[in-house]
Amino acid sequence: MEKNSVFGELLYVGLVFEKTRCKSAGLWKRSYFKSLNKHIDLLKKVACCLQAPFSMERDNEILKEVCLAIQSDTKLKNYYPIKMNFAKNTCKYIITNCDGSMDRPVIVKFIICMLEDLSTELKKGFHKNKEKICKLIFSLHNLPRVYLKKNENTLCMLNQEGITSDLAFTYSKLSMDEEMKSRYEHFLIHKSIC
């Protein structure tokens, strides 16, 4: 399997899951914050691996860690449609190559930056801004679609067509308020060179 497709798909599935759980109004349970924070940390690990140069051994080790974390979490396990039970097979590499034409360095830096901001906001205790958290999640969720490919062999087998970087940035910007547009302007102006 190809590295960008596998990790991009995991990011997309995870962010869509968080988008469905997120609501800016009402009470949020402490368990939700704890679960969200844990999942965001896992997604950051995936995004950082996506950003790193290809290393079959390291990439497969991180993939195994991520999949074991997903399988050990009852909520995540039910949401990620992972088709293969490869985590127990220690001698088999799932990721075997990396298609350089699918590298999207500006997109992945943008994803990591927004995930870091999301983590920072979640750690503010009683002062966290739920509306900002939701806007970050909503702005993030379409960005990994640049890594999806129809008929690509991946863990979740979404079989979904990807989108262009320009479209991903456009969708992301639609969920942003003016403060966020200003904060992420340096990413948004680079959209045509991704």
Side-chain angles (χ1 to χ4, degrees):
M1 290 184 199
E2 196 274 328
K3 174 185 175 174
N4 294 316
S5 295
V6 171
F7 285 119
E9 181 183 63
L10 289 173
L11 275 174
Y12 179 63
V13 170
L15 290 167
V16 168
F17 171 62
E18 292 306 342
K19 181 184 173 221
T20 63
R21 291 199 308 170
C22 191
K23 50 187 184 294
S24 59
L27 285 174
W28 286 9
K29 293 182 180 180
R30 186 177 168 103
S31 61
Y32 170 68
F33 278 118
K34 188 176 175 183
S35 171
L36 177 59
N37 203 20
K38 185 177 165 185
H39 192 208
I40 295 304
D41 285 345
L42 190 66
L43 293 174
K44 279 193 295 189
K45 181 180 252 188
V46 171
C48 288
C49 185
L50 194 55
Q51 183 182 37
F54 177 64
S55 165
M56 192 179 321
E57 189 173 311
R58 180 186 41 84
D59 292 343
N60 279 285
E61 187 59 37
I62 290 172
L63 180 62
K64 185 177 176 181
E65 287 174 30
V66 167
C67 288
L68 287 172
I70 289 168
Q71 290 173 352
S72 66
D73 185 294
T74 53
K75 284 186 172 52
L76 295 181
K77 179 171 59 174
N78 292 328
Y79 195 78
Y80 280 85
I82 296 175
K83 301 293 182 203
M84 305 172 100
N85 188 8
F86 70 91
K88 296 173 186 167
N89 189 351
T90 56
C91 60
K92 184 178 177 189
Y93 285 135
I94 300 302
I95 296 173
T96 56
N97 67 327
C98 182
D99 181 357
S101 70
M102 287 190 63
D103 287 346
R104 303 287 184 272
V106 176
I107 291 273
V108 78
K109 284 180 189 172
F110 189 25
I111 290 170
I112 291 168
C113 181
M114 290 181 82
L115 287 171
E116 289 291 340
D117 290 350
L118 187 51
S119 284
T120 300
E121 194 62 37
L122 285 167
K123 290 182 174 100
K124 289 185 177 177
F126 291 112
H127 303 289
K128 59 182 136 286
N129 183 337
K130 292 189 260 182
E131 188 175 330
K132 183 176 181 180
I133 291 168
C134 287
K135 284 183 185 203
L136 281 164
I137 291 170
F138 275 63
S139 295
L140 268 165
H141 91 278
N142 275 309
L143 292 172
R145 286 180 60 196
V146 298
Y147 298 106
L148 301 182
K149 280 185 173 178
K150 195 140 181 92
N151 301 321
E152 182 78 15
N153 187 22
T154 56
L155 293 177
C156 300
M157 299 298 290
L158 288 184
N159 201 22
Q160 192 171 343
E161 197 66 53
I163 60 174
T164 65
S165 295
D166 282 347
L167 201 49
F169 280 116
T170 300
Y171 288 159
S172 182
K173 196 173 177 182
L174 289 173
S175 297
M176 293 182 183
D177 57 22
E178 291 307 312
E179 180 187 334
M180 289 174 72
K181 287 176 187 173
S182 174
R183 161 106 173 89
Y184 302 117
E185 180 180 26
H186 58 287
F187 290 109
L188 299 172
I189 60 172
H190 286 97
K191 69 179 192 175
S192 60
I193 60 168
C194 293

